[in-house]
Amino acid sequence: MINNLSPLQAWELMQKQPRAVLIDVRTKIEHTFIGHPPGALNIPWKELPDWLLNPEFVPLVVEAVPERDTPILLLCRSGQRSLDAANTLQQVGYTQLINIEGGFEGPLDNDKHRGNIGGWRFHGLPWQQS
């Protein structure tokens, strides 16, 4: 089963469960220039320029998190790519998957801007740029 948590709930879980691993599934460019939570592993679900699925996604996760019962939190821009990635990881046997709803930047507002009504940064959680 995949759990959906708000960014605040995800942060709280990470503080209580030191085994938990946060995987940022956004592109390398998003992770580097837009920002990311400290300690987040960047394993892109899709990559530019063609926005194709990363064929190395599962092998890289297995390499980084070999124990399939490790809590894995998945983060993307708004919560959709991370949910898709969680579904794939569930199919290969991972059992504690958490999708961070709203992602790093949150949903679009009425002016089609992100970051104003939700997401990791909106809630003032720790983040950095590379």
Side-chain angles (χ1 to χ4, degrees):
M1 184 170 100
I2 298 166
N3 292 310
N4 290 292
L5 295 180
S6 72
L8 292 169
Q9 292 169 320
W11 175 251
E12 184 178 325
L13 179 121
M14 290 170 56
Q15 304 314 298
K16 291 179 180 177
Q17 293 195 28
R19 277 185 64 219
V21 175
L22 176 58
I23 298 177
D24 181 346
V25 304
R26 295 175 300 155
T27 66
K28 291 175 188 167
I29 290 173
E30 288 173 296
H31 179 84
T32 301
F33 294 109
I34 295 172
H36 55 270
L41 301 176
N42 181 223
I43 305 175
W45 173 246
K46 293 182 178 180
E47 195 54 87
L48 298 172
D50 299 320
W51 210 249
L52 298 174
L53 288 177
N54 176 5
E56 294 300 312
F57 178 77
V58 170
L60 288 169
V61 171
V62 169
E63 180 180 325
V65 188
E67 296 169 357
R68 306 280 168 121
D69 65 342
T70 301
I72 298 177
L73 297 102
L74 297 139
L75 176 78
C76 67
R77 181 183 60 199
S78 63
Q80 185 57 55
R81 280 179 281 172
S82 53
L83 182 57
D84 293 342
N87 281 316
T88 294
L89 293 176
Q90 184 177 43
Q91 291 172 13
V92 298
Y94 284 91
T95 60
Q96 294 194 54
L97 298 163
I98 299 104
N99 179 49
I100 301 176
E101 292 182 320
F104 190 71
E105 297 180 73
L108 292 169
D109 65 15
N110 290 334
D111 294 320
K112 301 207 183 293
H113 298 154
R114 294 189 189 277
N116 295 323
I117 57 175
W120 188 272
R121 287 193 316 185
F122 174 82
H123 289 289
L125 296 170
W127 67 282
Q128 63 190 30
Q129 291 172 305
S130 299

